[in-house]
Amino acid sequence: MEKEIDEVLNMIETSMQKGVSRLHIDVSEDLKDGTVENAYHHGRCDVGSPFAKGTVSNCESVDIF
């Protein structure tokens, strides 16, 4: 358990040293042990959303107030 805590702290410290200002960490039972996935967030859209991916199919029908 202590080793796992040290690994997480190291991951956080390494990210901060690289200039990452925010982290959102999820733990998943679906991934193989030791697997890490990173997603870069471009602004305020949800990561993986059609807006973040640029794949919105009906963007011309969005109402602007």
Side-chain angles (χ1 to χ4, degrees), residues 7-45:
E7 288 173 356
V8 170
L9 289 174
N10 185 45
M11 179 179 51
I12 293 169
E13 289 172 354
T14 300
S15 296
M16 295 295 119
Q17 290 170 354
K18 291 180 180 178
V20 175
S21 60
R22 295 185 198 181
L23 292 175
H24 179 102
I25 299 172
D26 288 320
V27 178
S28 174
E29 298 294 328
D30 297 334
L31 295 176
K32 181 180 171 187
D33 284 351
T35 302
V36 176
E37 290 183 356
N38 293 314
Y40 184 74
H41 191 288
H42 298 278
R44 299 186 75 127
C45 297

Side-chain angles (χ1 to χ4, degrees), residues 43-62:
R44 299 186 75 127
C45 297
D46 293 332
V47 173
S49 75
F51 291 100
K53 291 179 179 178
T55 58
V56 176
S57 60
N58 64 345
C59 62
E60 65 278 348
S61 65
V62 175

